[in-house]
Amino acid sequence: MTSSIDIERLLAPRVQDIETSGIRRAWALAADRVDPINLSIGQPDFPVPDALKVAAIAAIENNHNGYTQTNGDPALLASIEKKITNDVGWTFGDESSLSAMVTSGTAGALTLAYLAILAPGDEIIIPDPYFVIYPTLARIAEAKAVFCDTYPNFRMTADRIEPLITSKTKAVLLNSPGNPTGTVLQKDEVEAVAKLCRERGILLITDEIYDEFIFPPTTYTSPATFSEDVLVIRGYSKTYGCTGWRLGYAAGPSRLIDEMSKLQQQTFVCAPAPMQQAAINAYDIDLRPTIERFAKRRDMVIDALGDVTELIVPDGAFYTFPRVPEHLGMTGSEFILKAAEKNVLVIQGNVFSLKDTHFRISFAAQDDRLEEGLAILRSLLA
Ligand code: PMP
């Protein structure tokens, strides 16, 4: 029997408005290629550290396979709170108006945050270029994503945000280090954004999923250092190469965390229990060798492409977002097809932006493949 129901008629505008992620389309391109050099992937190329694997297996064997509390396993929450206290000075506990919750990935935390604060017609200011789900989540909430154009240096500063604020603005979403640009905002820049949002009574959401991927001498400062009116969202996916574990967290004003928790209870229920157990001691792992390796790869990208394209040096994450040189007369979408013909996969700028002038390179790839891919890109860009 085949299905005859008219699903088209049943679908809500909310899904019809959403395009399949351009990243998936790039993957479809990959499917046609034999052993492509894939510089399109937004996940680390290293395996999950052994300590975490062992802890995950032990968690399953020790029967941590049921629901956890909605807000997360108490031991994991304690380690998260300790980390936030160390990083930004917040305190948690009975006397505090701040709390934390474990979520199904950073994407889960972002989803809950959008749904908790945005009603139809409300506005959220997001960077352009942006991580793909930022505008989509606004559409799902029937709210409006207001794009903060950060070209050409990709810095989402208070000066750029302020003119976009209206009486409908509920939140500003900051992403430093940024996907797709690798840009890291400096201390004075995040302080100014935190101050602006606080003065205007707007929630500042800070997506800090790449907070550990910072290349010295750059240092990282969270806007939460300067304000408690901030929702900090972080994850384990990138830091520990465990994107499939679906583990992240949110910390911020308790009143908001309570509402996000209510939503989690009635939707995702909780983050995966064994993975929560596995991550309890994640912050004990020394990430310095990993970061050094990624910093070297960043340098390989600059060496290979710095003189043939306008390229803002990434100080964090594992992406760079160069411009397709004007003399080529091509959009980002046209350029990535040329690259794919030469077996190199990168992603066109309009997946992450209202513009289609740039393309994203992920340098989370093995050194030899990266080197090969960069040489080919160089030959196409020169
Ligand atoms: N935020 C940013 C900026 C990202 O790049 C990603 C993953 N690509 C996410 C959030 C979602 O990560 P996850 O849900 O795996 O934690």
Side-chain angles (χ1 to χ4, degrees):
M1 228 167 28
T2 55
S3 161
S4 62
I5 189 168
D6 184 1
I7 297 293
E8 242 14 83
R9 186 183 67 81
L10 302 179
L11 291 175
R14 147 176 344 105
V15 292
Q16 288 165 336
D17 288 353
I18 299 171
E19 268 189 66
T20 314
S21 158
I23 298 185
R24 307 273 150 194
R25 273 185 272 130
W27 286 6
L29 214 61
D32 298 340
R33 303 263 135 209
V34 183
D35 195 23
I37 300 170
N38 199 340
L39 308 183
S40 75
I41 301 210
Q43 67 179 346
D45 59 307
F46 54 81
V48 173
D50 284 342
L52 289 192
K53 285 185 183 168
V54 169
I57 293 163
I60 291 171
E61 286 179 347
N62 293 327
N63 303 316
H64 289 284
N65 300 304
Y67 300 128
T68 66
Q69 289 173 23
T70 308
N71 270 11
D73 181 281
L76 180 60
L77 272 175
S79 101
I80 288 167
E81 289 175 359
K82 188 169 154 216
K83 168 83 174 148
I84 299 251
T85 301
N86 280 341
D87 287 357
V88 308
W90 284 6
T91 52
F92 296 89
D94 293 343
E95 304 290 295
S96 168
S97 60
L98 297 165
S99 37
M101 69 183 288
V102 183
T103 56
S104 294
T106 312
L110 286 163
T111 306
L112 296 173
Y114 271 63
L115 293 178
I117 60 165
L118 296 174
D122 287 344
E123 295 176 4
I124 177 165
I125 300 174
I126 65 167
D128 179 357
Y130 46 77
F131 170 50
V132 285
I133 73 171
Y134 294 171
T136 310
L137 289 177
R139 239 172 284 150
I140 290 172
E142 296 177 45
K144 183 173 166 199
V146 174
F147 297 90
C148 179
D149 185 334
T150 65
Y151 289 86
N153 64 2
F154 309 131
R155 310 195 80 80
M156 187 158 162
T157 55
D159 286 350
R160 284 175 161 164
I161 296 167
E162 187 164 22
L164 304 174
I165 296 175
T166 73
S167 58
K168 294 187 176 153
T169 309
K170 288 267 186 86
V172 169
L173 175 47
L174 212 58
N175 175 216
S176 167
N179 177 6
T181 63
T183 302
V184 180
L185 293 178
Q186 289 165 358
K187 191 174 172 185
D188 57 333
E189 290 173 314
V190 290
E191 182 173 11
V193 175
K195 190 164 165 262
L196 171 68
C197 290
R198 197 179 163 94
E199 277 169 8
R200 300 295 190 90
I202 294 167
L203 179 69
L204 176 58
I205 304 174
T206 169
D207 177 349
E208 304 184 353
I209 188 164
Y210 298 102
D211 63 336
E212 303 286 346
F213 286 87
I214 303 285
F215 309 132
T218 300
T219 52
Y220 181 64
T221 310
S222 167
T225 315
F226 306 105
S227 167
E228 295 190 350
D229 300 339
V230 172
L231 185 69
V232 177
I233 293 182
R234 290 181 176 178
Y236 296 87
S237 284
K238 313 283 173 170
T239 317
Y240 303 104
C242 59
T243 49
W245 283 14
R246 311 311 307 131
L247 207 57
Y249 60 86
S254 301
R255 181 75 186 86
L256 176 61
I257 296 290
D258 287 349
E259 294 303 321
M260 288 169 60
S261 178
K262 219 162 75 181
L263 285 170
Q264 172 144 285
Q265 192 172 50
Q266 312 255 342
T267 53
F268 306 114
V269 182
C270 63
M275 277 55 223
Q276 292 194 51
Q277 280 291 312
I280 290 170
N281 296 315
Y283 287 129
D284 294 343
I285 295 171
D286 182 6
L287 295 167
R288 277 171 300 184
T290 306
I291 304 309
E292 260 172 45
R293 209 161 64 241
F294 276 76
K296 283 200 185 109
R297 289 174 178 170
R298 185 273 309 265
D299 294 343
M300 283 167 69
V301 177
I302 307 305
D303 289 348
L305 305 181
D307 62 340
V308 290
T309 150
E310 187 183 314
L311 188 154
I312 304 297
V313 175
D315 291 319
F318 35 73
Y319 310 107
T320 183
F321 199 59
R323 185 174 183 149
V324 181
E326 270 175 69
H327 71 86
L328 294 181
M330 272 186 235
T331 61
S333 299
E334 287 162 348
F335 177 75
I336 69 119
L337 291 179
K338 292 274 173 231
E341 278 168 20
K342 300 274 182 201
N343 232 20
V344 179
L345 303 179
V346 287
I347 303 185
Q348 67 273 29
N350 69 356
V351 167
F352 309 98
S353 176
L354 300 179
K355 299 187 212 283
D356 194 14
T357 46
H358 291 59
F359 65 99
R360 187 187 81 172
I361 300 173
S362 161
F363 46 91
Q366 298 293 308
D367 292 4
D368 53 339
R369 299 294 273 167
L370 180 63
E371 199 169 338
E372 230 183 305
L374 289 171
I376 294 168
L377 290 174
R378 180 178 174 84
S379 71
L380 291 170
L381 292 164

